[in-house]
Amino acid sequence: MLYHLLLQTVKTQQSAGVSPGQPHLIQYRIDYDSDVDKAVKDLSEAASGGPLYVIVDEVGSEFRPSFMKNHLNPFCVKLLSRVPRLHLWVASCFYGYQPAGWQVEHLTRPLRSPPVVVREVEQDVMFTSVIPVRPYSERSMSDHTDGPPVRRLYHRGQGHSGHWSGDCVTCGSEVASFLHSLRLGVTESGTTTSTTVYPTSGGTTAPCLQWRDVLVLHWDDGSDSSGMVRGLQEAGIPVRVMKDDDIDDVATARSDVVWVARGDRVRGLERKVVVCLEETVSPEYYRRFVPFYLMSRCTSQLVVVFPDHEPPEDDGQ
């Protein structure tokens, strides 16, 4: 996403007669020493004795926040030794693993999601466990609205089948029905015939929902024939299951489809509507993974599909 935004900025400046340089998207597995050495060699050669600007985004994982200390830090130290005029920025939801002497800024104001979603995310034990994630601070600006209420669906009752909601056609149909309700006023051709039916956290009106505004997130590897996918398709919703080669399409929201994806594939991205498929009977699992990694992608309407048990307490909210 950041790479594509930089490309757009470069093209705009070039059209104005400015030559700002060219961004490059490079992928290395720096959890391998051989790739660390290759990355340092490639980047130092690209600098050619001049300045080098590197942005490393979304560092770490839900299971290995120490990735920064064990792998990223050696890369940064080696690169600095080869490129004295190095400008390097690293972003991560974890803290406390930066090399000694690095300047650190903690960005904790919840600017992405409306308050109703923030309260759901704050239930995640990632904020209180041994994994270092800083809690939200005060937003320091007024909220024009609390945001649309969280829509809660349940994988239980007549017609439901499968071990969890991702395997259930009925759950897919119920999710589809709600998504269609957000698109009232959109004709078959995709044109908008009403002003808006879609609430935004900023209190302003917005066009009716497009399918590209929706993510369906889970933790299992999904398939094109899963019950959730079939339920959405049977309701006339264009849906695709994200594969490795789809990352550019998903990041830029190029295709007007609902993407179904693993939560760890879309870290850093956001959508207006996020559907979270809670897929275990363990409330502890829910509190640790679903809010922090899945719900936090939501900028407006959050939908949670619970299994055949009550959701965790929401602290009265």
Side-chain angles (χ1 to χ4, degrees):
M1 181 65 167
L2 182 57
Y3 170 67
H4 286 285
L5 290 173
L6 288 170
L7 279 179
Q8 293 176 17
T9 300
V10 166
K11 291 178 181 178
T12 300
Q13 293 177 333
Q14 288 174 337
S15 64
V18 180
S19 300
Q22 185 72 19
H24 301 274
L25 178 63
I26 307 175
Q27 300 186 63
Y28 294 105
R29 288 293 304 273
I30 59 175
D31 48 348
Y32 294 104
D33 291 338
S34 59
D35 264 28
V36 169
D37 293 337
K38 184 179 188 307
V40 171
K41 179 178 181 294
D42 292 348
L43 292 173
S44 60
E45 290 178 353
S48 302
L52 179 69
Y53 298 84
V54 181
I55 300 173
V56 186
D57 199 13
E58 296 296 334
V59 173
S61 74
E62 62 274 18
F63 303 111
R64 298 184 302 143
S66 59
F67 174 91
M68 293 182 69
K69 179 179 179 181
N70 298 333
H71 302 289
L72 180 69
N73 291 4
F75 161 75
C76 296
V77 171
K78 289 181 179 180
L79 185 60
L80 181 59
S81 68
R82 297 277 298 273
V83 186
R85 298 172 65 185
L86 176 65
H87 303 264
L88 191 149
W89 296 266
V90 176
S92 176
C93 59
F94 306 107
Y95 71 95
Y97 294 101
Q98 68 278 357
W102 277 30
Q103 178 181 343
V104 179
E105 297 289 344
H106 299 290
L107 308 179
T108 57
R109 292 166 59 192
L111 303 180
R112 170 187 290 117
S113 306
V116 66
V117 175
V118 171
R119 292 196 297 269
E120 294 286 331
V121 176
E122 285 179 323
Q123 297 183 38
D124 200 303
V125 298
M126 294 290 284
F127 290 109
T128 58
S129 68
V130 295
I131 298 177
V133 176
R134 285 187 175 269
Y136 288 124
S137 59
E138 291 295 324
R139 187 181 177 107
S140 301
M141 59 189 299
S142 61
D143 292 300
H144 298 285
T145 175
D146 195 48
V150 176
R151 183 60 178 256
R152 304 177 190 273
L153 304 173
Y154 299 90
H155 176 56
R156 64 183 179 207
Q158 185 176 3
H160 289 268
S161 60
H163 178 67
W164 68 294
S165 57
D167 293 331
C168 181
V169 175
T170 300
C171 282
S173 299
E174 292 179 356
V175 169
S177 177
F178 181 67
L179 295 181
H180 276 301
S181 73
L182 298 178
R183 281 175 53 88
L184 291 176
V186 178
T187 66
E188 290 296 326
S189 63
T191 58
T192 302
T193 59
S194 63
T195 54
T196 179
V197 297
Y198 187 70
T200 62
S201 58
T204 59
T205 59
C208 291
L209 183 73
Q210 299 182 71
W211 298 127
R212 59 170 52 91
D213 295 324
V214 183
L215 278 176
V216 178
L217 301 180
H218 54 85
W219 281 111
D220 278 349
D221 289 322
S223 72
D224 295 334
S225 60
S226 70
M228 175 61 63
V229 171
R230 295 203 316 272
L232 293 170
Q233 290 174 333
E234 291 173 3
I237 293 179
V239 57
R240 288 174 60 185
V241 176
M242 181 181 175
K243 306 296 192 302
D244 288 341
D245 293 341
D246 295 321
I247 183 60
D248 280 355
D249 198 332
V250 176
T252 59
R254 184 169 59 241
S255 298
D256 190 21
V257 301
V258 172
W259 284 102
V260 178
R262 284 179 57 98
D264 56 354
R265 288 179 178 265
V266 297
R267 187 179 293 117
L269 300 180
E270 59 185 35
R271 288 295 192 273
K272 292 177 182 178
V273 180
V274 171
V275 180
C276 299
L277 307 184
E278 210 277 26
E279 56 197 71
T280 177
V281 296
S282 169
E284 290 76 16
Y285 181 97
Y286 169 90
R287 287 183 178 273
R288 178 159 185 171
F289 295 105
V290 174
F292 188 73
Y293 290 105
L294 275 59
M295 295 182 184
S296 61
R297 304 302 93 211
C298 177
T299 64
S300 189
Q301 177 66 67
L302 178 62
V303 182
V304 186
V305 185
F306 293 98
D308 190 16
H309 67 81
E310 292 298 325
E313 295 293 331
D314 62 1
D315 299 326
Q317 299 293 349

